Short mmCIF file of all heavy atoms in Angstrom, two decimals:
data_model
loop_
_atom_site.label_atom_id
_atom_site.label_comp_id
_atom_site.label_asym_id
_atom_site.label_seq_id
_atom_site.Cartn_x
_atom_site.Cartn_y
_atom_site.Cartn_z
N ALA A 6 6.21 13.25 3.48
CA ALA A 6 6.36 14.69 3.22
C ALA A 6 7.80 14.94 2.80
O ALA A 6 8.73 14.41 3.40
CB ALA A 6 6.04 15.48 4.48
N LEU A 7 7.96 15.69 1.74
CA LEU A 7 9.29 16.04 1.25
C LEU A 7 9.32 17.52 0.94
O LEU A 7 8.32 18.08 0.49
CB LEU A 7 9.61 15.32 -0.07
CG LEU A 7 9.75 13.82 -0.11
CD1 LEU A 7 9.98 13.38 -1.55
CD2 LEU A 7 10.90 13.37 0.77
N THR A 8 10.45 18.14 1.17
CA THR A 8 10.65 19.48 0.64
C THR A 8 11.60 19.33 -0.54
O THR A 8 12.74 18.89 -0.38
CB THR A 8 11.24 20.42 1.70
OG1 THR A 8 10.36 20.44 2.81
CG2 THR A 8 11.39 21.83 1.15
N VAL A 9 11.10 19.64 -1.73
CA VAL A 9 11.90 19.44 -2.94
C VAL A 9 12.16 20.80 -3.57
O VAL A 9 11.22 21.51 -3.96
CB VAL A 9 11.17 18.52 -3.95
CG1 VAL A 9 12.06 18.26 -5.16
CG2 VAL A 9 10.79 17.20 -3.29
N ASN A 10 13.43 21.17 -3.63
CA ASN A 10 13.82 22.48 -4.17
C ASN A 10 13.01 23.61 -3.52
O ASN A 10 12.54 24.53 -4.18
CB ASN A 10 13.68 22.50 -5.69
CG ASN A 10 14.59 21.49 -6.34
OD1 ASN A 10 15.64 21.14 -5.81
ND2 ASN A 10 14.17 20.98 -7.49
N GLY A 11 12.83 23.48 -2.21
CA GLY A 11 12.17 24.53 -1.44
C GLY A 11 10.66 24.45 -1.39
O GLY A 11 10.02 25.23 -0.69
N VAL A 12 10.08 23.49 -2.12
CA VAL A 12 8.62 23.37 -2.13
C VAL A 12 8.21 22.14 -1.31
O VAL A 12 8.71 21.04 -1.56
CB VAL A 12 8.09 23.21 -3.58
CG1 VAL A 12 6.58 23.05 -3.59
CG2 VAL A 12 8.53 24.40 -4.43
N GLU A 13 7.33 22.37 -0.35
CA GLU A 13 6.86 21.24 0.47
C GLU A 13 5.82 20.45 -0.29
O GLU A 13 4.93 21.02 -0.92
CB GLU A 13 6.22 21.77 1.76
CG GLU A 13 7.25 22.22 2.78
CD GLU A 13 6.58 22.61 4.09
OE1 GLU A 13 5.68 21.89 4.53
OE2 GLU A 13 6.98 23.67 4.61
N ARG A 14 5.96 19.13 -0.21
CA ARG A 14 5.01 18.27 -0.90
C ARG A 14 4.64 17.12 0.01
O ARG A 14 5.47 16.60 0.74
CB ARG A 14 5.64 17.67 -2.16
CG ARG A 14 5.99 18.69 -3.21
CD ARG A 14 6.78 18.01 -4.29
NE ARG A 14 7.17 18.93 -5.34
CZ ARG A 14 6.44 19.18 -6.43
NH1 ARG A 14 5.28 18.58 -6.61
NH2 ARG A 14 6.87 20.03 -7.34
N ARG A 15 3.37 16.71 -0.07
CA ARG A 15 2.95 15.47 0.59
C ARG A 15 2.54 14.51 -0.53
O ARG A 15 1.80 14.89 -1.43
CB ARG A 15 1.80 15.74 1.55
CG ARG A 15 1.35 14.49 2.27
CD ARG A 15 0.64 14.77 3.57
NE ARG A 15 1.54 15.13 4.66
CZ ARG A 15 2.31 14.26 5.34
NH1 ARG A 15 2.33 12.99 5.01
NH2 ARG A 15 3.06 14.68 6.34
N LEU A 16 3.08 13.30 -0.45
CA LEU A 16 2.88 12.36 -1.55
C LEU A 16 2.54 10.98 -1.00
O LEU A 16 3.08 10.57 0.03
CB LEU A 16 4.18 12.24 -2.36
CG LEU A 16 4.69 13.51 -3.02
CD1 LEU A 16 6.20 13.47 -3.17
CD2 LEU A 16 4.03 13.68 -4.38
N ASP A 17 1.69 10.28 -1.71
CA ASP A 17 1.44 8.88 -1.42
C ASP A 17 2.31 8.06 -2.35
O ASP A 17 2.18 8.15 -3.57
CB ASP A 17 -0.04 8.54 -1.64
CG ASP A 17 -0.91 9.20 -0.60
OD1 ASP A 17 -0.45 9.32 0.56
OD2 ASP A 17 -2.03 9.62 -0.93
N VAL A 18 3.20 7.28 -1.76
CA VAL A 18 4.23 6.63 -2.55
C VAL A 18 4.24 5.12 -2.27
O VAL A 18 4.33 4.71 -1.12
CB VAL A 18 5.62 7.20 -2.16
CG1 VAL A 18 6.71 6.61 -3.04
CG2 VAL A 18 5.63 8.71 -2.26
N PRO A 19 4.21 4.31 -3.31
CA PRO A 19 4.38 2.87 -3.09
C PRO A 19 5.75 2.61 -2.46
O PRO A 19 6.73 3.28 -2.82
CB PRO A 19 4.31 2.27 -4.50
CG PRO A 19 3.58 3.29 -5.32
CD PRO A 19 3.95 4.62 -4.72
N PRO A 20 5.83 1.70 -1.51
CA PRO A 20 7.08 1.53 -0.75
C PRO A 20 8.27 1.08 -1.57
O PRO A 20 9.41 1.20 -1.13
CB PRO A 20 6.74 0.47 0.31
CG PRO A 20 5.41 -0.05 -0.03
CD PRO A 20 4.74 0.88 -0.99
N THR A 21 8.06 0.58 -2.77
CA THR A 21 9.18 0.10 -3.58
C THR A 21 9.72 1.15 -4.56
O THR A 21 10.69 0.88 -5.27
CB THR A 21 8.75 -1.13 -4.40
OG1 THR A 21 7.58 -0.79 -5.14
CG2 THR A 21 8.46 -2.32 -3.50
N VAL A 22 9.11 2.33 -4.61
CA VAL A 22 9.55 3.34 -5.58
C VAL A 22 10.83 4.02 -5.10
O VAL A 22 10.93 4.41 -3.93
CB VAL A 22 8.44 4.39 -5.79
CG1 VAL A 22 8.96 5.61 -6.54
CG2 VAL A 22 7.29 3.76 -6.55
N THR A 23 11.80 4.12 -5.99
CA THR A 23 13.05 4.80 -5.61
C THR A 23 12.84 6.31 -5.60
O THR A 23 11.94 6.85 -6.26
CB THR A 23 14.20 4.48 -6.58
OG1 THR A 23 13.88 5.01 -7.87
CG2 THR A 23 14.46 2.98 -6.66
N LEU A 24 13.75 6.97 -4.87
CA LEU A 24 13.71 8.44 -4.87
C LEU A 24 13.90 8.96 -6.30
O LEU A 24 13.24 9.92 -6.70
CB LEU A 24 14.82 8.97 -3.95
CG LEU A 24 14.95 10.48 -3.86
CD1 LEU A 24 13.66 11.13 -3.36
CD2 LEU A 24 16.13 10.86 -2.97
N LEU A 25 14.76 8.31 -7.07
CA LEU A 25 15.00 8.76 -8.44
C LEU A 25 13.72 8.68 -9.28
O LEU A 25 13.37 9.63 -10.00
CB LEU A 25 16.11 7.92 -9.08
CG LEU A 25 16.48 8.31 -10.51
CD1 LEU A 25 16.94 9.76 -10.60
CD2 LEU A 25 17.52 7.37 -11.08
N ASP A 26 13.03 7.56 -9.20
CA ASP A 26 11.79 7.43 -9.99
C ASP A 26 10.73 8.41 -9.51
O ASP A 26 9.97 8.95 -10.32
CB ASP A 26 11.28 5.99 -9.94
CG ASP A 26 12.10 5.06 -10.83
OD1 ASP A 26 12.82 5.56 -11.71
OD2 ASP A 26 12.02 3.83 -10.64
N LEU A 27 10.67 8.64 -8.20
CA LEU A 27 9.71 9.61 -7.69
C LEU A 27 9.99 10.99 -8.27
O LEU A 27 9.09 11.68 -8.77
CB LEU A 27 9.77 9.67 -6.16
CG LEU A 27 8.77 10.63 -5.54
CD1 LEU A 27 7.39 9.99 -5.47
CD2 LEU A 27 9.21 11.07 -4.15
N LEU A 28 11.26 11.39 -8.23
CA LEU A 28 11.62 12.71 -8.75
C LEU A 28 11.33 12.82 -10.24
O LEU A 28 10.72 13.79 -10.70
CB LEU A 28 13.11 12.98 -8.49
CG LEU A 28 13.52 13.16 -7.03
CD1 LEU A 28 15.04 13.16 -6.91
CD2 LEU A 28 12.93 14.44 -6.44
N ARG A 29 11.75 11.82 -10.98
CA ARG A 29 11.65 11.90 -12.44
C ARG A 29 10.22 11.69 -12.94
O ARG A 29 9.75 12.39 -13.83
CB ARG A 29 12.57 10.86 -13.09
CG ARG A 29 14.07 11.19 -12.93
CD ARG A 29 14.93 10.13 -13.62
NE ARG A 29 14.54 9.96 -15.00
CZ ARG A 29 14.97 10.73 -16.00
NH1 ARG A 29 15.82 11.70 -15.77
NH2 ARG A 29 14.55 10.51 -17.22
N GLU A 30 9.54 10.69 -12.37
CA GLU A 30 8.26 10.29 -12.96
C GLU A 30 7.05 10.92 -12.30
O GLU A 30 6.05 11.16 -12.96
CB GLU A 30 8.16 8.76 -12.94
CG GLU A 30 9.17 8.17 -13.93
CD GLU A 30 9.35 6.67 -13.81
OE1 GLU A 30 8.48 6.00 -13.23
OE2 GLU A 30 10.39 6.18 -14.30
N ARG A 31 7.15 11.21 -10.99
CA ARG A 31 6.00 11.82 -10.33
C ARG A 31 6.13 13.34 -10.30
O ARG A 31 5.14 14.06 -10.40
CB ARG A 31 5.88 11.31 -8.88
CG ARG A 31 5.36 9.89 -8.76
CD ARG A 31 3.83 9.79 -8.80
NE ARG A 31 3.14 10.47 -7.72
CZ ARG A 31 2.96 9.97 -6.51
NH1 ARG A 31 3.43 8.79 -6.20
NH2 ARG A 31 2.28 10.64 -5.60
N LEU A 32 7.35 13.82 -10.11
CA LEU A 32 7.52 15.26 -9.93
C LEU A 32 8.07 15.95 -11.18
O LEU A 32 8.29 17.16 -11.17
CB LEU A 32 8.44 15.52 -8.72
CG LEU A 32 7.96 14.90 -7.40
CD1 LEU A 32 8.90 15.27 -6.26
CD2 LEU A 32 6.54 15.36 -7.06
N ASP A 33 8.29 15.17 -12.24
CA ASP A 33 8.79 15.73 -13.51
C ASP A 33 10.11 16.47 -13.35
O ASP A 33 10.40 17.40 -14.11
CB ASP A 33 7.76 16.67 -14.16
CG ASP A 33 6.62 15.89 -14.79
OD1 ASP A 33 6.86 14.74 -15.21
OD2 ASP A 33 5.50 16.42 -14.85
N LEU A 34 10.90 16.07 -12.38
CA LEU A 34 12.23 16.64 -12.22
C LEU A 34 13.22 15.67 -12.86
O LEU A 34 13.72 14.75 -12.23
CB LEU A 34 12.55 16.87 -10.73
CG LEU A 34 11.64 17.92 -10.08
CD1 LEU A 34 11.80 17.89 -8.57
CD2 LEU A 34 11.93 19.31 -10.63
N THR A 35 13.44 15.88 -14.15
CA THR A 35 14.20 14.91 -14.93
C THR A 35 15.69 15.27 -15.04
O THR A 35 16.41 14.66 -15.83
CB THR A 35 13.59 14.76 -16.34
OG1 THR A 35 13.53 16.06 -16.93
CG2 THR A 35 12.21 14.15 -16.28
N GLY A 36 16.12 16.26 -14.26
CA GLY A 36 17.54 16.62 -14.28
C GLY A 36 18.42 15.47 -13.79
O GLY A 36 19.44 15.15 -14.41
N ALA A 37 18.04 14.87 -12.68
CA ALA A 37 18.77 13.70 -12.19
C ALA A 37 18.53 12.56 -13.18
O ALA A 37 17.38 12.25 -13.52
CB ALA A 37 18.29 13.31 -10.80
N LYS A 38 19.61 11.97 -13.67
CA LYS A 38 19.50 10.98 -14.75
C LYS A 38 19.57 9.56 -14.23
O LYS A 38 20.22 9.29 -13.22
CB LYS A 38 20.62 11.21 -15.77
CG LYS A 38 20.55 12.56 -16.46
CD LYS A 38 19.35 12.62 -17.40
CE LYS A 38 19.28 13.92 -18.17
NZ LYS A 38 18.62 14.99 -17.41
N LYS A 39 18.94 8.66 -14.97
CA LYS A 39 19.05 7.25 -14.64
C LYS A 39 20.07 6.64 -15.59
O LYS A 39 19.76 6.33 -16.74
CB LYS A 39 17.70 6.55 -14.77
CG LYS A 39 17.75 5.12 -14.24
CD LYS A 39 16.44 4.37 -14.46
CE LYS A 39 15.39 4.74 -13.42
NZ LYS A 39 14.23 3.82 -13.48
N GLY A 40 21.29 6.51 -15.10
CA GLY A 40 22.33 5.93 -15.93
C GLY A 40 22.34 4.42 -15.74
O GLY A 40 21.98 3.66 -16.64
N CYS A 41 22.76 3.99 -14.57
CA CYS A 41 22.91 2.54 -14.31
C CYS A 41 21.78 1.99 -13.46
O CYS A 41 21.49 0.81 -13.51
CB CYS A 41 24.25 2.30 -13.62
SG CYS A 41 24.32 3.00 -11.94
N ASP A 42 21.16 2.83 -12.64
CA ASP A 42 20.12 2.41 -11.68
C ASP A 42 20.67 1.41 -10.66
O ASP A 42 19.90 0.66 -10.07
CB ASP A 42 18.91 1.82 -12.42
CG ASP A 42 17.59 2.07 -11.69
OD1 ASP A 42 17.55 2.99 -10.83
OD2 ASP A 42 16.62 1.36 -11.95
N GLN A 43 21.98 1.41 -10.47
CA GLN A 43 22.60 0.46 -9.54
C GLN A 43 23.67 1.11 -8.67
O GLN A 43 24.54 0.41 -8.14
CB GLN A 43 23.29 -0.66 -10.32
CG GLN A 43 22.37 -1.50 -11.14
CD GLN A 43 23.11 -2.60 -11.89
OE1 GLN A 43 24.27 -2.90 -11.60
NE2 GLN A 43 22.44 -3.20 -12.83
N GLY A 44 23.69 2.42 -8.57
CA GLY A 44 24.66 3.05 -7.68
C GLY A 44 26.08 3.10 -8.20
O GLY A 44 27.00 3.30 -7.41
N GLN A 45 26.26 2.96 -9.49
CA GLN A 45 27.63 2.90 -9.99
C GLN A 45 28.07 4.11 -10.80
O GLN A 45 29.28 4.28 -11.01
CB GLN A 45 27.80 1.64 -10.85
CG GLN A 45 27.70 0.40 -10.00
CD GLN A 45 27.79 -0.87 -10.81
OE1 GLN A 45 27.96 -0.84 -12.02
NE2 GLN A 45 27.68 -1.99 -10.13
N CYS A 46 27.13 4.93 -11.29
CA CYS A 46 27.56 5.97 -12.22
C CYS A 46 27.44 7.39 -11.68
O CYS A 46 28.10 8.29 -12.16
CB CYS A 46 26.77 5.87 -13.52
SG CYS A 46 25.05 6.42 -13.41
N GLY A 47 26.59 7.61 -10.69
CA GLY A 47 26.45 8.94 -10.10
C GLY A 47 25.58 9.90 -10.88
O GLY A 47 25.39 11.05 -10.45
N ALA A 48 25.03 9.48 -12.02
CA ALA A 48 24.22 10.39 -12.84
C ALA A 48 22.95 10.85 -12.10
O ALA A 48 22.37 11.88 -12.43
CB ALA A 48 23.84 9.72 -14.16
N CYS A 49 22.55 10.08 -11.10
CA CYS A 49 21.30 10.36 -10.37
C CYS A 49 21.55 11.16 -9.09
O CYS A 49 20.63 11.30 -8.28
CB CYS A 49 20.64 9.04 -10.00
SG CYS A 49 21.67 8.07 -8.86
N THR A 50 22.76 11.68 -8.90
CA THR A 50 23.09 12.32 -7.62
C THR A 50 22.21 13.53 -7.34
O THR A 50 22.04 14.42 -8.19
CB THR A 50 24.57 12.76 -7.61
OG1 THR A 50 25.39 11.65 -7.93
CG2 THR A 50 24.96 13.32 -6.25
N VAL A 51 21.64 13.56 -6.14
CA VAL A 51 20.90 14.73 -5.63
C VAL A 51 21.40 14.98 -4.21
O VAL A 51 22.14 14.16 -3.65
CB VAL A 51 19.37 14.50 -5.63
CG1 VAL A 51 18.86 14.23 -7.05
CG2 VAL A 51 18.97 13.36 -4.70
N LEU A 52 20.99 16.09 -3.64
CA LEU A 52 21.34 16.39 -2.25
C LEU A 52 20.15 16.10 -1.36
O LEU A 52 19.03 16.55 -1.65
CB LEU A 52 21.76 17.86 -2.13
CG LEU A 52 23.00 18.24 -2.94
CD1 LEU A 52 23.18 19.75 -2.97
CD2 LEU A 52 24.25 17.57 -2.36
N VAL A 53 20.38 15.32 -0.33
CA VAL A 53 19.36 15.03 0.67
C VAL A 53 19.87 15.60 1.99
O VAL A 53 20.91 15.16 2.49
CB VAL A 53 19.10 13.51 0.80
CG1 VAL A 53 18.09 13.24 1.91
CG2 VAL A 53 18.60 12.94 -0.51
N ASN A 54 19.15 16.60 2.50
CA ASN A 54 19.61 17.32 3.69
C ASN A 54 21.07 17.75 3.53
O ASN A 54 21.87 17.67 4.46
CB ASN A 54 19.42 16.46 4.95
CG ASN A 54 17.96 16.12 5.18
OD1 ASN A 54 17.07 16.92 4.88
ND2 ASN A 54 17.70 14.93 5.69
N GLY A 55 21.39 18.20 2.32
CA GLY A 55 22.72 18.74 2.04
C GLY A 55 23.77 17.71 1.70
O GLY A 55 24.89 18.07 1.34
N ARG A 56 23.45 16.43 1.82
CA ARG A 56 24.44 15.38 1.53
C ARG A 56 24.15 14.75 0.19
O ARG A 56 22.99 14.50 -0.14
CB ARG A 56 24.41 14.30 2.60
CG ARG A 56 24.71 14.85 3.95
CD ARG A 56 24.73 13.78 5.01
NE ARG A 56 25.68 14.20 6.01
CZ ARG A 56 26.62 13.43 6.55
NH1 ARG A 56 26.70 12.18 6.21
NH2 ARG A 56 27.45 13.91 7.42
N ARG A 57 25.20 14.43 -0.54
CA ARG A 57 24.98 13.86 -1.86
C ARG A 57 24.62 12.38 -1.74
O ARG A 57 25.27 11.65 -1.00
CB ARG A 57 26.21 14.06 -2.74
CG ARG A 57 27.50 13.67 -2.08
CD ARG A 57 28.69 14.10 -2.91
NE ARG A 57 29.93 13.80 -2.21
CZ ARG A 57 31.09 13.60 -2.80
NH1 ARG A 57 31.19 13.68 -4.11
NH2 ARG A 57 32.16 13.34 -2.10
N VAL A 58 23.62 11.98 -2.48
CA VAL A 58 23.22 10.57 -2.48
C VAL A 58 22.91 10.16 -3.91
O VAL A 58 22.55 10.98 -4.75
CB VAL A 58 21.98 10.31 -1.60
CG1 VAL A 58 22.18 10.77 -0.18
CG2 VAL A 58 20.74 10.92 -2.19
N ASN A 59 23.05 8.87 -4.15
CA ASN A 59 22.60 8.29 -5.40
C ASN A 59 21.10 8.01 -5.25
O ASN A 59 20.71 7.09 -4.51
CB ASN A 59 23.34 7.00 -5.71
CG ASN A 59 24.79 7.24 -6.09
OD1 ASN A 59 25.16 8.33 -6.49
ND2 ASN A 59 25.60 6.22 -5.97
N ALA A 60 20.29 8.80 -5.93
CA ALA A 60 18.84 8.69 -5.74
C ALA A 60 18.30 7.33 -6.19
O ALA A 60 17.24 6.90 -5.74
CB ALA A 60 18.13 9.82 -6.48
N CYS A 61 19.05 6.64 -7.04
CA CYS A 61 18.59 5.32 -7.50
C CYS A 61 18.71 4.27 -6.41
O CYS A 61 18.09 3.21 -6.49
CB CYS A 61 19.34 4.87 -8.75
SG CYS A 61 21.07 4.38 -8.45
N LEU A 62 19.53 4.55 -5.38
CA LEU A 62 19.74 3.56 -4.32
C LEU A 62 18.85 3.81 -3.11
O LEU A 62 18.94 3.08 -2.13
CB LEU A 62 21.20 3.59 -3.86
CG LEU A 62 22.24 3.08 -4.83
CD1 LEU A 62 23.62 3.12 -4.20
CD2 LEU A 62 21.91 1.66 -5.29
N GLN A 63 18.04 4.83 -3.16
CA GLN A 63 17.22 5.19 -2.02
C GLN A 63 15.77 4.89 -2.33
O GLN A 63 15.28 5.28 -3.41
CB GLN A 63 17.30 6.70 -1.77
CG GLN A 63 18.67 7.18 -1.42
CD GLN A 63 18.76 7.56 0.03
OE1 GLN A 63 17.78 8.04 0.61
NE2 GLN A 63 19.89 7.33 0.63
#
Side-chain angles (χ1 to χ4, degrees):
L7 294 177
T8 302
V9 184
N10 298 332
V12 179
E13 283 185 44
R14 296 171 180 270
R15 181 157 283 284
L16 299 152
D17 291 325
V18 184
T21 54
V22 167
T23 65
L24 178 60
L25 181 59
D26 285 342
L27 182 80
L28 292 170
R29 290 181 54 84
E30 291 169 19
R31 286 277 297 279
L32 303 183
D33 285 332
L34 295 169
T35 54
K38 297 291 183 276
K39 188 184 281 191
C41 67
D42 212 19
Q43 297 180 14
Q45 293 177 1
C46 74
C49 64
T50 306
V51 299
L52 298 169
V53 176
N54 299 326
R56 300 182 149 227
R57 48 189 176 155
V58 304
N59 289 340
C61 72
L62 291 182
Q63 297 252 327

